[in-house]
Amino acid sequence: MKINEYSQEEIRFCLAQKAAEVEPSAELFNRIKKNIQELECENMMKSKIFCFKKSKLSIAVLTCCIFLLGSTAVIGATLAKSWIGHSSSRYVTFPETDKIINDVGFAPKYTETLPGGFKFDRGGTGESKLVDEAGNAVTQTKDVRFVYRRGTEKSPLTLTVSQIDEEFVDFSSNKLVGNHKGINLYYYEQKYKFVPVGYELTEEDKKAFEAGELEISYGASEVSCANVQALSWYEEGLLYTIMGNDYNFTIEDMIEMAKTVIEAE
Amino acid sequence: MQESELIKKVQEGDLPAFERLFELYKSKALKTVYLMTGDRAISEDIVQEAFVKCYTSIKSLRNPEHFKTWFYKLLTRTTWQYMKKEKKLLPTEDILELVEANSVKSYSDKAQQEEAKNMIYEELTKLEPKLQTTLILYYYNGFSVKEIAKIMGCFEGTVKSRLYTGRCKLKNNLASLNNYISEGGITV
């Protein structure tokens, strides 16, 4: 056979024969899903940072991380690998219930003020989902967030309400500290270190982390630390979390806040 | 489920639907990229990147009926970008080296035919990327001239011209190689 005497059919055959040398690997789709998941996380972080840069509240980036960590802290870590989602700031004035129902589809209990001198400052909604190791959504939630401030203090206090099935709520890392009107109240306190992506942990960080004394959160624009306190409860399909950082609340302080919300109309 | 319905679901963020779509396209996509790169590992990386881009940008696809050409446009561009970035040149075995390698072997008829077909592929990989891609999309994937024009973002006339030029170059290169081998006393 002369190799210049090829036909178009031979080109087809030759390419088909060469192509038959490869087949997609079994892990290919899992790698793709992992990439997608990472991108979603990255986009989530970017959108939050952008949102806060816009409003010129640098502390809010920190709060945003606290909000996410707080949520994962009470949602079963064994059930899902990651908590991903996005949020937006849309309430600059105290929102009417109808507005919230229209935005998220449920009516949470909430108040304009909270004990301790906190007043509503702004709020927002969000959507989140828990994804398993393979990147599949285990459950999806809608969230509404109310941000409160006290005087000129920079650090905000947040009340986050998430619509989530009870089977995905796990208070095992929280401490039962009270019951109000038949509703159990769970307290959570933890030191956090917020670091940029790619930050290398110090030996001290590693020791504290291994001892359970410190949680590390990646995605912040700069390194900072905070002592996070949260009180959570589950009521009628909604998970409520009041959270603040570096306030040094007593548990009683936080229970009073929770009572106010539970008793709200 | 129709492919267009599947694509609409993927546009809504349905990951299981995306997996079904991936199953439909994965093999041909990988093999197409492999023909363009000649490297298994790189081909998987490129296909991985292309499917991630597919998932994250599929909302921009207005008509699900056009998914196939849209996806292959994304796939070929991802391949070109990757190769350019990594500076991984397509396999370009030197003709003389090929002849030398051939000269020390004796062939049965079947082996000769196999070798000739390998040479067709080897010569195809030496063509410039756009000619090579056009030939692969036409002869391996079976796309029409119109579809290739959409994939490559050019006129149908350009595709026809590239097919003609590609075939001529392939033929000339193979003829040169054949003459060289013949002069060296080797009959392929």
Side-chain angles (χ1 to χ4, degrees):
Chain A
M1 175 189 169
K2 295 283 184 186
I3 57 174
N4 59 337
E5 292 169 358
Y6 69 93
S7 67
Q8 296 197 50
E9 201 47 49
E10 279 171 327
I11 298 178
R12 285 192 183 93
F13 180 71
C14 151
L15 292 177
Q17 204 175 36
K18 184 72 183 171
E21 292 176 3
V22 291
E23 288 298 335
S25 69
E27 312 83 52
L28 183 57
F29 192 68
N30 278 341
R31 294 210 308 265
I32 290 167
K33 275 199 290 192
K34 189 169 177 286
N35 267 191
I36 290 171
Q37 191 181 317
E38 284 166 356
L39 274 175
E40 285 180 339
C41 281
E42 198 177 300
N43 289 340
M44 174 196 71
M45 283 297 178
K46 277 180 187 168
S47 68
K48 283 176 188 300
I49 289 165
F50 170 76
C51 169
F52 292 124
K53 273 184 181 169
K54 197 175 168 186
S55 57
K56 295 180 183 176
L57 292 167
S58 59
I59 192 71
V61 176
L62 195 68
T63 310
C64 158
C65 294
I66 293 169
F67 159 63
L68 281 169
L69 287 164
S71 301
T72 49
V74 290
I75 291 169
T78 55
L79 293 171
K81 184 187 174 191
S82 309
W83 174 265
I84 59 175
H86 62 88
S87 62
S88 61
S89 293
R90 62 168 68 196
Y91 306 136
V92 291
T93 56
F94 190 65
E96 296 289 334
T97 306
D98 288 348
K99 170 71 177 157
I100 291 175
I101 292 173
N102 187 51
D103 289 341
V104 293
F106 62 89
K109 291 180 181 177
Y110 61 106
T111 55
E112 196 160 6
T113 59
L114 286 174
F118 290 93
K119 288 181 182 171
F120 175 84
D121 180 61
R122 60 192 162 83
T125 60
E127 289 180 353
S128 314
K129 64 181 175 183
L130 283 168
V131 292
D132 63 17
E133 294 285 342
N136 300 312
V138 177
T139 189
Q140 294 184 312
T141 74
K142 288 206 171 187
D143 319 299
V144 58
R145 187 179 69 259
F146 305 91
V147 180
Y148 300 84
R149 289 188 184 280
R150 184 166 65 184
T152 55
E153 286 178 272
K154 281 186 177 178
S155 183
L157 180 80
T158 59
L159 165 64
T160 304
V161 190
S162 304
Q163 189 176 45
I164 183 169
D165 288 342
E166 194 167 14
E167 64 176 298
F168 294 106
V169 179
D170 174 14
F171 290 116
S172 60
S173 58
N174 302 36
K175 183 180 169 188
L176 179 63
V177 290
N179 182 290
H180 185 65
K181 294 194 169 180
I183 298 165
N184 286 335
L185 304 174
Y186 298 90
Y187 179 71
Y188 174 82
E189 183 171 355
Q190 181 67 56
K191 281 183 182 167
Y192 278 95
K193 185 165 187 175
F194 302 94
V195 298
V197 173
Y199 173 83
E200 285 196 22
L201 297 180
T202 63
E203 284 305 312
E204 199 180 340
D205 291 338
K206 287 177 189 171
K207 279 181 189 170
F209 178 74
E210 282 165 14
E213 294 164 358
L214 180 71
E215 288 288 342
I216 309 291
S217 173
Y218 288 87
S221 56
E222 57 189 30
V223 178
S224 60
C225 295
N227 186 51
V228 176
Q229 289 177 286
L231 195 76
S232 300
W233 67 95
Y234 190 78
E235 185 182 2
E236 294 179 351
L238 301 177
L239 173 67
Y240 290 78
T241 303
I242 296 174
M243 187 179 292
N245 58 291
D246 293 335
Y247 270 113
N248 293 320
F249 292 128
T250 63
I251 292 176
E252 287 70 31
D253 289 339
M254 297 199 81
I255 288 176
E256 282 308 307
M257 292 181 202
K259 282 181 180 175
T260 306
V261 177
I262 290 169
E263 288 171 8
E265 290 297 319
Chain B
M1 188 188 291
Q2 294 282 326
E3 189 176 291
S4 57
E5 290 173 37
L6 204 57
I7 288 156
K8 281 178 189 165
K9 280 185 172 291
V10 179
Q11 287 179 318
E12 290 163 5
D14 187 329
L15 204 56
F18 178 61
E19 187 167 8
R20 289 204 291 280
L21 192 65
F22 167 79
E23 289 297 326
L24 292 175
Y25 279 82
K26 66 175 183 183
S27 182
K28 204 79 173 178
L30 180 75
K31 289 167 187 283
T32 302
V33 177
Y34 178 63
L35 290 175
M36 293 169 75
T37 66
D39 186 299
R40 288 164 202 256
I42 288 175
S43 301
E44 278 236 345
D45 286 349
I46 292 170
V47 169
Q48 180 179 335
E49 190 180 330
F51 272 104
V52 171
K53 282 182 188 170
C54 169
Y55 183 79
T56 54
S57 59
I58 198 167
K59 281 184 182 171
S60 68
L61 176 66
R62 288 181 186 173
N63 187 349
E65 303 292 333
H66 296 161
F67 175 77
K68 192 173 181 182
T69 49
W70 178 84
F71 175 73
Y72 271 87
K73 185 174 190 173
L74 192 154
L75 185 71
T76 52
R77 270 159 183 68
T78 304
T79 309
W80 291 341
Q81 283 163 6
Y82 191 95
M83 301 304 277
K84 194 177 171 185
K85 188 177 149 195
E86 298 293 316
K87 294 183 179 166
K88 302 269 186 195
L89 298 174
L90 301 171
T92 50
E93 240 181 312
D94 187 81
I95 291 177
L96 293 175
E97 285 176 12
L98 191 63
V99 173
E100 267 180 42
N102 289 335
S103 66
V104 295
K105 296 175 184 173
S106 63
Y107 296 95
S108 65
D109 284 350
K110 194 180 173 188
Q112 286 174 11
Q113 284 181 3
E114 288 297 311
E115 192 59 32
K117 287 187 173 69
N118 283 340
M119 284 181 189
I120 293 174
Y121 174 70
E122 294 298 339
E123 290 306 313
L124 188 136
T125 63
K126 291 173 188 170
L127 298 176
E128 58 183 275
K130 284 186 179 173
L131 292 182
Q132 185 211 52
T133 305
T134 307
L135 289 176
I136 290 171
L137 292 175
Y138 187 79
Y139 287 111
Y140 176 67
N141 297 90
F143 282 115
S144 66
V145 167
K146 191 177 177 179
E147 287 171 324
I148 296 172
K150 278 187 181 175
I151 292 168
M152 300 190 71
C154 62
F155 294 113
E156 288 179 39
T158 309
V159 176
K160 286 178 188 170
S161 164
R162 283 177 184 164
L163 279 174
Y164 177 77
T165 310
R167 277 194 295 251
C168 283
K169 285 194 174 183
L170 199 58
K171 190 172 181 177
N172 291 339
N173 290 350
L174 287 165
S176 303
L177 180 61
N178 183 51
N179 290 339
Y180 192 91
I181 294 169
S182 297
E183 283 165 17
I186 297 164
T187 306
V188 182

